[in-house]
Amino acid sequence: MELKWLEDFLSLAATRSFSRSAHERHVTQSALSRRIRQLENWLCVPLFDRSTYPVRVTAEGTAFLPKAVEMVALIQGARRDIRHQHAVTAEVLTFATLNTLALTFFPDWIRRLEGRGHVFKTHFGDQRSSFAGKVSMLLDGESDFFLTYAHPNVPTHIDPERFAYRCLGTEAAIPVSVPDASGNPVHALRPSGAAVAYLSYGTGSFFGRGLVKLLAERPLPLTTVYENAMSAGLKAMALAGCGVGWIPESLISEELKSGQLVMAGDASWHLPTEIRLYRASGRCRPAVERFWAAIDDADQRVESRPLHLAGAA
């Protein structure tokens, strides 16, 4: 038996929908169905009645449900405890972080801290694909820090009484396109006219959520031609000329300089953000406290305050 079988079972028992659970579990419906069958074969009982819609948990499945919850909690708790003990012993700092910041911001930032005589052992925790999943790593104590973008349109549900943050900088996601022969964007943002090919983040990522309100307030004739929660994936499609995408500036600085990409709209279409580092407010192990103090030592601290950015509601 595999842990993912139990996690699949719990998801399907909650959603009663193979399509919704497949999306939640980031697998295809066929893969989810196959793994549920494998669990049923292992138990030698049917867990779901597939003849109804939504699917129904069988009597055997209902009896198995609390045991599955207990087993998953036990395994995940054991893993978390062992990792935490290792981190305490090795003084490894665990970060939950958005993928773009891991690529563009984190390396230079750590190098600047080390340039002031600080040496730290860092580790990226399990990289969950959704923004909510990364937030939960901080809330559940699976990471020491959470490095993220912040914008009023994207609530984090992080309790300010339990978690402190430092603002480390600012950055905007800007709409870009390949240029035509005259240097104008092929996929320009126009309120009317022909539909514009749109490279979408979907709804589970930070920028996907941030763009919802911006695009709702300023409707555009957009046609989604590609979806990817990762900025690097959208950048590749933008460079291929497939459409317009909102990409963080740090990820496309060289392409903007070289003219491979151009802005598809003026500054009013930008999505400005803060770059924040969160941690638990209470006293933590010495390695965490030393790292937090090093940020202040490097003069990177900006006092925590409500975020008021141009273009924010």
Side-chain angles (χ1 to χ4, degrees), residues 8 20 44 50 60-61 75 100 118 120 205 212 227 237 239-240 267 302 311:
D8 291 341
R20 286 174 58 193
C44 299
R50 296 164 174 78
E60 294 86 350
I75 294 171
T100 298
H118 305 289
F120 299 102
S205 68
V212 167
E227 185 175 306
M237 293 297 284
L239 284 168
V302 175

Side-chain angles (χ1 to χ4, degrees), residues 11-255:
S11 174
L12 187 56
T15 67
R16 309 294 177 89
S17 166
F18 276 92
S19 61
R20 286 174 58 193
S21 282
H23 179 75
E24 181 180 280
R25 298 286 294 146
H26 308 292
V27 297
T28 63
Q29 288 190 50
S30 60
L32 177 70
S33 179
R34 182 174 63 255
R35 290 181 347 198
I36 292 293
R37 287 290 189 195
Q38 288 173 317
L39 179 59
E40 290 175 323
N41 291 338
W42 188 81
L43 292 168
C44 299
V45 296
L47 298 173
F48 296 97
D49 180 358
R50 296 164 174 78
S51 66
T52 64
Y53 184 81
V55 295
R56 184 178 62 85
V57 183
T58 64
E60 294 86 350
T62 301
F64 181 62
L65 187 58
K67 296 180 175 62
V69 170
E70 183 179 355
M71 284 188 286
V72 170
L74 180 63
I75 294 171
Q76 291 180 340
R79 181 178 64 175
R80 184 167 56 249
D81 291 345
I82 292 298
R83 288 182 174 181
H84 177 71
Q85 184 58 44
H86 170 72
V88 169
T89 303
E91 293 197 331
V92 175
L93 300 170
T94 301
F95 288 78
T97 182
L98 303 189
N99 293 308
T100 298
L101 290 172
L103 291 171
T104 63
F105 179 82
F106 189 86
D108 287 340
W109 176 56
I110 288 294
R111 190 180 302 113
R112 289 197 299 270
L113 290 178
E114 292 178 342
R116 289 179 171 261
H118 305 289
V119 178
F120 299 102
K121 298 177 182 178
T122 59
H123 167 71
F124 289 158
D126 291 341
Q127 291 302 296
R128 303 172 187 178
S129 60
S130 70
F131 178 67
K134 297 176 191 298
V135 172
S136 70
M137 291 177 64
L138 175 73
L139 303 184
D140 296 341
E142 294 182 34
S143 67
D144 298 307
F145 300 100
F146 177 39
L147 181 62
T148 181
Y149 292 112
H151 189 279
N153 291 353
V154 189
T156 62
H157 305 295
I158 296 176
D159 185 352
E161 296 298 320
R162 292 180 55 207
F163 298 95
Y165 75 82
R166 298 283 190 264
C167 176
L168 305 178
T170 60
E171 180 170 26
I174 61 178
V176 293
S177 162
V178 292
D180 60 20
S182 301
N184 298 313
V186 171
H187 306 282
L189 299 182
R190 301 185 183 90
S192 60
V196 180
Y198 176 46
L199 308 175
S200 171
Y201 283 97
T203 58
S205 68
F206 173 86
F207 286 116
R209 293 184 181 187
L211 288 168
V212 167
K213 189 172 184 180
L214 175 66
L215 296 178
E217 292 174 343
R218 306 179 65 185
L220 287 168
L222 298 176
T223 298
T224 300
V225 297
Y226 179 73
E227 185 175 306
N228 192 324
M230 296 180 64
S231 299
L234 298 187
K235 171 186 172 180
M237 293 297 284
L239 284 168
C242 298
V244 60
W246 270 257
I247 315 295
E249 293 171 289
S250 60
L251 198 59
I252 53 173
S253 58
E254 293 302 319
E255 287 76 14

